[in-house]
Amino acid sequence: MTTCRTTGLTVEQQERWPFLYSHLSSDIEIPSLIEVDEQFIIEMDKEISKILKQIGDGKAKSRESLTRHLTGLLQRRFQRNAKVQAFGSSITGLSLGTGDLDLCLSFKKEQPKKVLRKVAGLLREEGMMDIQQIPKAKIPIVKFTDSRSGLDVDISIENRLAIYNSQMLKGYAQDKRVREFILMIKYWASRRGINTAFEGTLSSYAWTLICIQHLQMTNPPVAPNRQKGGKKNLLEINGVSYDISNDSSPFESKNQQTLASLLISFFDRFATRWDWNEMVVSIRNGSPLNAEKKRWTHTGPLPLEVVTGQSKDRMEHVMPIEDPFDHEHDLSRVVKPDGAMTIQEEFMRALHLLSEGKSWKQICTPVMEIDEEPEDFFHDLRTQNTDLLKVRLDEMKSDITHVEEHIQSLVTERQNSKELLDLLRGTLQEKRNVKSNRQSILSELRPLSMKVQELRQTRDGINDRIAIPTKRIHQEMVRMFESLTSEVDVFNTQSLGRERGDFSYFFELQAMYKASIESNEAHQEFIRLRREQNKEYKALKDTNSQEEEVLNRLIEKNPELKGINLHPKTVKEFQHNSNKLQKSINIQYSKKHELKREIGRIEAWIRIATSKGNQRQRKDSKPRENRRQAPAVNINEVRERASSGGSFSLNELDALMAKGGISGIESTQRSSTSNQSERRKSGRKKSVYRVDPRQGRKRGKKQSRK
Ligand code: CTP
Ligand code: MG
């Protein structure tokens, strides 16, 4: 196998997408699922009901308590202005137990600035792990992992539409068949690794919408259109109006199809009959929209062209899925070329395996290793000696006491460290206040000094010109005035020239007097401002001692802090230490949790083993005729009950486990399924449908070119 000349796919790519590749490279017809054997559907339904029982949301309680914890935390941080609402699968009833916790943080009054950074800081203080901020998205998000429960959490800011669309999905999921159908597709998508939007496949939300579309299109419909009819409800966000009408009235479907039959028709529809180039998934319409009319036709290269390196351009509307409330939002925007190829491969694979009569579990074989409970809960304990197990149990119980003590000491240490941190923060704040006080003094001092300077110049400038004191000028002015205005002695008149000289001297005196007054005033103001300036200088000096005082007070209360350099960096170091302590606490809590679980498991096993031993003992000690009949375990009946979810005793549980556990039931079913497969292989029908050319073949070329 080398790079294929028809498709351009490399050997690795051919191995990665084998089903798709075989259809792209040769003209194989796609198997049809239109006529599927009834018995196969019955078996598949049994298998599905068993899986549904296993996948219950085991983390629901952790989610609830984490939601409460985070709500309290955020409300304390934002002074009750914050509102925290859960959305997504934790409220829709569509959780597989493996999904994340989606929370929306909104604000009753004004939204604080840099809110994302504040939330991230708060989470860091709480010792949360892998905190990631996505501030530039349309809806800003902080992602993290709760270190105690291991839950992945998304906190999005003001994600109002999500609250409403989750409400609507919850309405759709009221119907058991709809809910279970969506859960099964989410189960398939998650185990096959095609439900991660940030890795370039579709989000769980997008898969949910595809499911609803399918159920709306069955004949008769299994799901209604909840956006038609009902009360009209408009919501305005940032000036855009969204129709969030949601008719939540109960819907009675006349469709009698079982889950298996609906799943088969789902793969039949989306693997072969759905033309992604022309059809847009639209649950608000109840049926697909025409891509051209919606102006959502595929543009840019085909996924195949990108993965084979023929193009590097961006693809648009590769699998168009319309958001039910935000009609401009195509949920396939995140799908990358690799992701599109993988999704198409998975559709083809499911189609092939179903047509070969393979079990649903085989179709959903995980692509990655996942943590699944071993089907025999006691598998590793069966061969162990009970007495040794009891010793191990005692050791574990003593371990748990040590872990609890360790937790207690870590919690106390963290509390102390947090108190110290608060103190440091407070002191740093006080220091900052002193600094800002100093800053404001300086900012007042600057213009004051300039003014003083200015006044000094005015005063000295005048004094340089006029050396005579004001009083003297005034006396001279009075004298001149009197001489100029006294009665004229006709016999002793002055010459005209002399008189002119006196007048001009008088006017000069007048100007001098005015300037001298100005100089005096400038001087007075100068003196006043200098006094003020001195006061400010003193206040400035005081701030230095205040800063020292703040530090001294801190050290007086906490002598261990002597020599500390109170700086934001120091506070950060303390913060870091506090986070580290929180992480250690979380690790110890998980250790305690694990120990508790294991203790419970061993105790349960010891109870079973002991009761078995007692039975054996009774059997040996009593004569045959007097022996009371030990409760007989009819394994077939127990299996029957296990597969239908009934309850059973410890004895029965053990008998079931010893006979191969739940997998024992499967192997029985599988053998009938594989017979089925044999039967089907011989008379399999071929369909006329071909692979979606958009995922593989070049547009317009349906013939094989190999
Ligand atoms: N959501 C949205 N727009 C998207 C993706 C998600 O509005 N492009 C909102 C929807 O309200 C959806 C919620 O986010 O219900 C959670 O999305 P997601 O985690 O993908 O779906 P879940 O049903 O929560 O799936 P899982 O259980 O896998 O977490
Ligand atoms: Mg989710």
Side-chain angles (χ1 to χ4, degrees):
M1 241 191 329
T2 49
T3 300
C4 172
R5 274 192 285 146
T6 311
T7 57
L9 291 170
T10 63
V11 178
E12 290 81 42
Q13 288 172 325
Q14 293 165 31
E15 280 166 0
R16 187 169 167 204
W17 301 304
F19 287 93
L20 187 57
Y21 172 65
S22 68
H23 282 277
L24 295 172
S25 56
S26 48
D27 220 1
I28 310 173
E29 290 200 7
I30 295 172
S32 163
L33 295 178
I34 291 174
E35 286 173 37
V36 180
D37 196 285
E38 222 173 276
Q39 192 53 36
F40 175 66
I41 297 180
I42 293 172
E43 298 296 345
M44 188 170 156
D45 268 317
K46 277 192 196 156
E47 200 196 347
I48 288 170
S49 83
K50 217 165 63 185
I51 296 173
L52 279 165
K53 259 160 222 146
Q54 284 167 10
I55 60 170
D57 189 359
K59 291 208 163 174
K61 278 229 166 81
S62 307
R63 263 179 246 272
E64 269 173 40
S65 73
L66 183 58
T67 307
R68 268 199 307 276
H69 175 64
L70 291 171
T71 306
L73 207 67
L74 291 165
Q75 286 191 336
R76 275 195 298 278
R77 176 69 177 82
F78 297 109
Q79 282 91 31
R80 303 210 165 264
N81 177 23
K83 198 167 144 198
V84 181
Q85 283 166 290
F87 64 100
S89 61
S90 57
I91 69 136
T92 55
L94 295 170
S95 175
L96 288 176
T98 50
D100 51 6
L101 169 62
D102 301 289
L103 294 178
C104 167
L105 173 65
S106 45
F107 295 91
K108 295 174 199 160
K109 288 178 262 154
E110 211 178 320
Q111 182 177 316
K113 277 188 194 139
K114 297 183 185 156
V115 62
L116 215 57
R117 222 192 289 162
K118 285 182 184 157
V119 173
L122 193 61
L123 296 170
R124 218 164 284 129
E125 272 177 36
E126 279 300 298
M128 298 299 179
M129 299 189 303
D130 304 330
I131 303 165
Q132 242 182 300
Q133 295 177 52
I134 310 172
K136 293 212 174 106
K138 193 171 162 196
I139 302 284
I141 296 182
V142 193
K143 286 177 167 291
F144 63 95
T145 306
D146 172 39
S147 34
R148 203 172 296 175
S149 61
L151 280 173
D152 288 330
V153 187
D154 279 5
I155 298 186
S156 44
I157 316 293
E158 300 288 357
N159 197 358
R160 289 165 72 195
L161 278 184
I163 304 283
Y164 290 101
N165 66 37
S166 295
Q167 279 305 326
M168 184 167 72
L169 296 189
K170 189 176 175 186
Y172 277 110
Q174 275 166 22
D175 182 283
K176 184 168 178 275
R177 195 164 33 153
V178 173
R179 182 175 66 250
E180 293 184 342
F181 177 84
I182 298 173
L183 283 176
M184 277 304 96
I185 292 297
K186 279 179 74 170
Y187 179 76
W188 164 74
S190 123
R191 289 168 77 101
R192 300 302 302 167
I194 47 172
N195 71 334
T196 321
F198 71 88
E199 283 176 2
T201 55
L202 289 169
S203 63
S204 291
Y205 176 57
W207 282 112
T208 307
L209 298 180
I210 299 178
C211 287
I212 294 174
Q213 180 86 100
H214 175 63
L215 299 178
Q216 288 174 325
M217 289 175 72
T218 51
N219 188 13
V222 174
N225 180 349
R226 298 208 168 271
Q227 289 173 271
K228 272 214 174 111
K231 223 176 95 206
K232 202 152 184 73
N233 196 0
L234 296 178
L235 173 76
E236 198 176 298
I237 303 173
N238 299 332
V240 182
S241 177
Y242 297 95
D243 182 355
I244 54 157
S245 312
N246 168 24
D247 180 3
S248 55
S249 47
F251 174 76
E252 286 273 328
S253 169
K254 295 201 170 53
N255 188 308
Q256 296 297 317
Q257 279 177 269
T258 65
L259 277 177
S261 155
L262 288 169
L263 285 170
I264 292 168
S265 63
F266 175 87
F267 287 106
D268 180 51
R269 185 190 303 281
F270 287 102
T272 61
R273 289 188 291 120
W274 191 273
D275 185 349
W276 289 106
N277 213 17
E278 288 189 359
M279 295 151 94
V280 178
V281 171
S282 168
I283 67 161
R284 59 113 185 179
N285 192 51
S287 58
L289 292 170
N290 180 291
E292 209 171 317
K293 277 196 190 144
K294 186 159 173 78
R295 295 170 192 265
W296 274 17
T297 45
H298 174 86
T299 53
L302 302 164
L304 182 68
E305 287 170 335
V306 184
V307 299
T308 53
Q310 295 167 57
S311 171
K312 280 200 167 80
D313 295 343
R314 224 187 112 74
M315 315 176 307
E316 294 284 349
H317 306 306
V318 69
M319 298 180 71
I321 302 162
E322 181 197 61
D323 184 273
F325 294 151
D326 182 358
H327 305 163
E328 292 310 309
H329 182 187
D330 176 0
L331 286 147
S332 75
R333 204 164 50 188
V334 291
V335 174
K336 292 193 184 129
D338 260 34
M341 294 288 283
T342 309
I343 292 171
Q344 189 64 11
E345 163 72 12
E346 286 307 323
F347 273 132
M348 295 309 297
R349 177 182 172 276
L351 195 71
H352 271 272
L353 298 195
L354 281 172
S355 76
E356 287 163 16
K358 294 276 162 45
S359 69
W360 180 241
K361 206 154 189 193
Q362 275 172 299
I363 292 167
C364 300
T365 307
V367 283
M368 287 163 288
E369 254 184 54
I370 50 172
D371 254 355
E372 276 186 314
E373 291 282 351
E375 282 172 352
D376 177 358
F377 195 51
F378 304 116
H379 65 116
D380 55 331
L381 303 179
R382 289 186 183 282
T383 51
Q384 300 205 24
N385 177 301
T386 320
D387 290 333
L388 287 181
L389 279 178
K390 282 183 183 162
V391 174
R392 193 163 126 203
L393 200 61
D394 287 341
E395 280 170 5
M396 286 167 89
K397 283 183 179 166
S398 115
D399 282 353
I400 224 171
T401 321
H402 285 137
V403 171
E404 275 169 351
E405 281 166 9
H406 192 178
I407 292 177
Q408 199 43 51
S409 84
L410 282 170
V411 167
T412 319
E413 196 182 336
R414 181 161 188 272
Q415 255 164 10
N416 291 342
S417 127
K418 266 209 96 175
E419 275 170 27
L420 205 59
L421 188 66
D422 286 345
L423 211 69
L424 282 178
R425 279 208 185 112
T427 315
L428 193 68
Q429 189 54 46
E430 267 188 67
K431 211 179 138 186
R432 277 201 190 114
N433 291 347
V434 173
K435 258 203 178 127
S436 92
N437 196 12
R438 186 189 357 240
Q439 212 55 41
S440 78
I441 295 173
L442 278 172
S443 67
E444 276 170 28
L445 254 173
R446 226 163 275 135
L448 199 65
S449 305
M450 277 164 71
K451 189 84 191 144
V452 168
Q453 185 78 0
E454 213 178 278
L455 287 168
R456 184 190 286 126
Q457 272 174 5
T458 316
R459 184 197 62 184
D460 294 352
I462 298 171
N463 291 355
D464 281 353
R465 278 188 285 119
I466 310 155
I468 315 161
T470 320
K471 207 172 157 194
R472 276 286 299 122
I473 300 171
H474 188 253
Q475 283 170 354
E476 189 64 4
M477 252 171 63
V478 172
R479 191 186 62 78
M480 277 309 290
F481 181 78
E482 278 171 357
S483 119
L484 286 171
T485 53
S486 59
E487 277 198 19
V488 180
D489 178 357
V490 284
F491 302 105
N492 194 15
T493 54
Q494 284 191 60
S495 70
L496 189 60
R498 177 99 195 252
E499 198 166 345
R500 245 189 224 145
D502 283 353
F503 267 105
S504 80
Y505 179 51
F506 178 73
F507 291 137
E508 203 176 310
L509 279 175
Q510 254 189 332
M512 277 167 71
Y513 183 71
K514 198 173 160 230
S516 179
I517 296 276
E518 261 171 41
S519 159
N520 285 346
E521 277 170 5
H523 180 68
Q524 290 308 319
E525 183 66 2
F526 172 80
I527 298 288
R528 192 182 67 77
L529 290 186
R530 274 308 301 268
R531 267 192 211 124
E532 225 171 89
Q533 205 181 20
N534 285 344
K535 251 196 249 161
E536 298 282 346
Y537 278 132
K538 192 174 175 305
L540 200 63
K541 260 193 193 161
D542 284 352
T543 59
N544 289 340
S545 56
Q546 270 169 20
E547 218 174 311
E548 262 169 42
E549 224 173 83
V550 166
L551 209 61
N552 287 343
R553 252 186 286 136
L554 173 77
I555 293 165
E556 213 173 278
K557 273 193 215 151
N558 304 273
E560 72 269 28
L561 291 177
K562 196 161 183 207
I564 195 170
N565 177 12
L566 196 54
H567 197 262
K569 227 174 168 182
T570 324
V571 175
K572 243 188 191 161
E573 274 164 25
F574 273 81
Q575 167 79 63
H576 189 63
N577 185 37
S578 174
N579 290 351
K580 271 204 332 219
L581 280 169
Q582 182 63 51
K583 266 188 197 152
S584 311
I585 293 170
N586 294 340
I587 291 170
Q588 292 306 317
Y589 267 122
S590 349
K591 238 190 211 170
K592 182 181 162 187
H593 184 70
E594 284 295 310
L595 277 168
K596 262 184 143 172
R597 231 173 92 102
E598 191 55 6
I599 288 173
R601 192 175 77 100
I602 296 178
E603 278 176 345
W605 171 248
I606 291 176
R607 271 201 303 276
I608 292 173
T610 321
S611 81
K612 252 203 225 169
N614 288 345
Q615 278 172 26
R616 222 172 287 131
Q617 242 177 17
R618 266 205 304 272
K619 192 167 147 188
D620 296 340
S621 57
K622 287 193 177 173
R624 224 171 197 290
E625 57 280 13
N626 296 340
R627 200 192 319 147
R628 260 193 28 238
Q629 278 276 281
V633 176
N634 178 344
I635 194 67
N636 286 334
E637 195 220 325
V638 175
R639 275 190 180 140
E640 191 76 6
R641 253 185 290 148
S643 62
S644 63
S647 61
F648 32 75
S649 67
L650 275 179
N651 250 349
E652 288 170 335
L653 170 69
D654 183 41
L656 180 66
M657 294 305 185
K659 298 268 176 194
I662 296 167
S663 53
I665 307 174
E666 251 159 45
S667 61
T668 328
Q669 289 182 350
R670 214 171 286 148
S671 69
S672 76
T673 318
S674 62
N675 289 343
Q676 183 67 41
S677 141
E678 290 305 314
R679 270 203 306 281
R680 291 169 44 72
K681 265 185 207 160
S682 50
R684 197 166 76 212
K685 284 207 168 188
K686 300 270 179 182
S687 133
V688 290
Y689 302 118
R690 293 205 165 84
V691 180
D692 178 351
R694 295 175 55 252
Q695 306 295 341
R697 276 177 229 277
K698 291 198 174 216
R699 270 184 221 116
K701 283 195 181 175
K702 289 211 171 184
Q703 295 304 311
S704 158
R705 286 187 282 124
K706 200 181 185 184

